[in-house]
Amino acid sequence: MKSPYDIILKPVLTEKSYDGLVDKKYAFLVHPDANKTEVKMAVEAAFGVKVEKVNILNKQGKVKRQGRTMGRTAASKKAYVQLTADSKTIEFFEGMAQ
């Protein structure tokens, strides 16, 4: 069993994620091997909330060039988490929803 903190790497703090805070939608950067069920259980265990649904977005790394050498930046995975209506909010994001 993985720890919830192995699955949830960090919160995503962008303009789009700030707009979702009012509707109890939160965005997290998650481990590339995590699936929706693991993300749901990790958020519920780490923050003590009830999750309604999880949407996951895989982002490929960008192609970068340095001189004649081509390479890619690291790929990442984002999870958008929707909490239930009767669930409490996540305290970490409380002061940012103004």
Side-chain angles (χ1 to χ4, degrees):
M1 177 71 187
K2 293 181 183 176
S3 167
Y5 303 105
D6 291 337
I7 295 172
I8 300 170
L9 301 179
K10 64 181 179 179
V12 176
L13 303 174
T14 61
E15 289 183 24
K16 182 179 178 181
S17 66
Y18 285 138
D19 292 340
L21 295 180
V22 178
D23 300 327
K24 293 187 179 179
K25 292 181 183 177
Y26 301 97
F28 297 99
L29 192 69
V30 296
H31 193 274
D33 296 334
N35 58 30
K36 289 183 179 186
T37 308
E38 290 176 338
V39 171
K40 179 179 178 178
M41 290 190 306
V43 170
E44 288 177 346
F47 301 109
V49 294
K50 294 179 186 174
V51 175
E52 183 176 332
K53 70 177 183 176
V54 176
N55 293 329
I56 289 188
L57 175 105
N58 284 310
K59 188 179 111 182
Q60 289 185 347
K62 290 183 177 181
V63 176
K64 296 288 185 176
R65 192 179 94 193
Q66 188 166 10
R68 64 174 89 166
T69 307
M70 297 286 284
R72 285 191 170 269
T73 59
S76 62
K77 184 181 265 193
K78 270 196 247 181
Y80 292 97
V81 178
Q82 171 71 49
L83 302 183
T84 58
D86 60 338
S87 177
K88 65 177 186 155
T89 60
I90 297 176
E91 292 87 19
F92 178 79
F93 295 97
E94 291 241 345
M96 301 177 193
Q98 262 99 63

